[in-house]
Amino acid sequence: MQDSRMEKMVSPLSILLCISLVLLAEPRSSDAAPQSKGSFVDNFDIMWSEEHFKTSADGQIWYLSLDKETGCGFQTKQRYRFGWFSMKLKLVGGDSAGVVTAYYMCSENGAGPERDELDFEFLGNRSGQPYLIQTNVYKNGTGSREMRHMLWFDPTEDFHSYSILWNSHQIVFFVDQVPVRVYKNNGEANNFFPNEKPMYLFSSIWNADDWATRGGLEKTDWTKAPFVSTYKDFSFDGCQWEDPFPACVSTTTKNWWDQYSAWHLSEDQKKDYAWVQRNLVIYDYCKDTQRFPTLPWECSLSPWD
């Protein structure tokens, strides 16, 4: 359930254009992402409504569509525990109020009561208003760890990469290799950091006009349907799960995503992250003392360490 306190007035798109010019002058994270691996059919299965899924003639670009009847979704064939996971998306253009494109990792095929989950959700807008991205983290079915950000570009005009770095020390959400959220572990058994269950990677498009745009005040305009989100260049470098327990989930020096340098932000990444924190954060549950009179324990962990 979404909380109305997460809704704030968002700056006009013209302000975001100014922000984008400033951010382009900031240092970019230089970590090279893994190469794309295989075709859609090599990596994914359609979850539901196959008639709402299409590909380009060469099979390299994928389209999910939403109409008044249903949306569509896909998931990886394999589960993973730790690694780097990235996809390029182009979001629904025009009036997309009420529409949510979700790109996430989850330990279950459905919204089970004990699931672990790492979410990117892209919240649709009325024409002329900026998209918002919402991230969330679940452990054993407990979420309510939302953050919302503006973007420094129009995500409907071109493809942009959205990535997750996940190891036993931190989870980092990236947009075009810029870290927008850092979620740290404390190195002890706890009830907030998901590091025990392997996860599938999913994406879907669906109607959420009861909460997604201005807390549900803006409803989906079905005369604009179908709404289409577009994907390409799935890439990953992670530990593919093998029962009962794959060796690669242990901390080793063999995988870059589980070496010391991946346990912390680099100096350039810290500069980018600081800029995002100053300019693009719309909502942070760790600062919502009305919703959480006693802040969750993980809010005491510094993303800079």
Side-chain angles (χ1 to χ4, degrees):
M1 178 178 293
Q2 303 303 308
D3 193 294
S4 62
R5 286 184 292 273
M6 284 189 282
E7 297 297 330
K8 291 188 177 181
M9 294 299 293
V10 179
S11 302
L13 189 58
S14 59
I15 295 178
L16 281 185
L17 295 175
C18 295
I19 288 175
S20 68
L21 295 175
V22 177
L23 189 58
L24 288 172
E26 294 290 315
R28 296 275 58 78
S29 304
S30 58
D31 299 318
Q35 296 299 310
S36 298
K37 297 188 177 183
S39 66
F40 181 89
V41 295
D42 293 330
N43 290 298
F44 299 99
D45 290 320
I46 301 298
M47 293 158 52
W48 83 93
S49 188
E50 190 166 354
E51 66 274 13
H52 285 64
F53 173 81
K54 295 181 180 179
T55 69
S56 60
D58 61 5
Q60 296 304 304
I61 300 176
W62 322 318
Y63 307 92
L64 296 185
S65 65
L66 166 71
D67 58 27
K68 198 169 185 179
E69 298 301 318
T70 186
C72 187
F74 59 79
Q75 70 174 74
T76 52
K77 298 176 184 289
Q78 305 295 334
R79 294 178 296 164
Y80 306 92
R81 185 176 170 205
F82 304 146
W84 169 272
F85 308 90
S86 187
M87 185 95 75
K88 291 183 179 177
L89 280 72
K90 182 164 64 172
L91 301 180
V92 176
D95 186 344
S96 59
V99 177
V100 171
T101 299
Y103 166 60
Y104 61 104
M105 301 185 72
C106 187
S107 59
E108 302 180 18
N109 290 325
E114 298 295 323
R115 74 191 186 278
D116 289 356
E117 187 170 319
L118 311 175
D119 290 346
F120 272 112
E121 291 180 316
F122 306 91
L123 310 184
N125 62 354
R126 284 286 177 235
S127 299
Q129 295 298 314
Y131 255 87
L132 297 183
I133 60 170
Q134 176 170 288
T135 56
N136 203 350
V137 177
Y138 287 75
K139 180 169 182 176
N140 294 330
T142 299
S144 298
R145 299 180 173 100
E146 301 94 343
M147 288 191 69
R148 287 187 179 182
H149 294 76
M150 293 185 293
L151 294 168
W152 56 96
F153 53 82
D154 183 345
T156 71
E157 291 186 345
D158 204 351
F159 288 94
H160 294 268
S161 63
Y162 303 90
S163 312
I164 296 172
L165 170 66
W166 175 34
N167 56 48
S168 60
H169 299 268
Q170 66 175 1
I171 297 162
V172 186
F173 294 83
F174 290 86
V175 177
D176 287 343
Q177 298 199 50
V178 175
V180 298
R181 181 175 185 179
V182 180
Y183 189 82
K184 302 291 283 191
N185 197 3
N186 66 349
E188 303 174 1
N190 60 60
N191 62 358
F192 61 83
F193 193 93
N195 61 353
E196 299 169 353
K197 301 173 185 177
M199 300 194 204
Y200 298 95
L201 187 142
F202 299 80
S203 192
S204 59
I205 185 170
W206 48 290
N207 178 42
D209 66 3
D210 58 332
W211 65 267
T213 307
R214 295 186 60 221
L217 295 177
E218 302 283 359
K219 299 301 182 181
T220 304
D221 182 354
W222 293 111
T223 66
K224 302 294 196 299
F227 303 99
V228 179
S229 56
T230 312
Y231 305 77
K232 68 176 183 178
D233 295 351
F234 170 62
S235 62
F236 72 94
D237 187 349
C239 178
Q240 184 172 308
W241 186 259
E242 297 176 357
D243 290 324
F245 195 81
C248 59
V249 301
S250 301
T251 297
T252 70
T253 59
K254 294 181 181 179
N255 302 297
W256 70 267
W257 41 262
D258 205 13
Q259 295 178 12
Y260 181 81
S261 59
W263 300 354
H264 320 272
L265 296 182
S266 69
E267 291 305 311
D268 282 347
Q269 288 173 340
K270 287 180 179 178
K271 293 176 184 177
D272 286 346
Y273 180 70
W275 197 95
V276 169
Q277 289 295 105
R278 291 194 305 269
N279 294 281
L280 300 179
V281 176
I282 297 297
Y283 175 81
D284 183 349
Y285 79 107
C286 281
K287 297 180 179 178
D288 191 342
T289 55
Q290 185 177 357
R291 187 181 178 200
F292 300 102
T294 300
L295 290 176
W297 198 93
E298 68 271 13
C299 294
S300 65
L301 299 175
S302 171
W304 309 101
D305 294 338

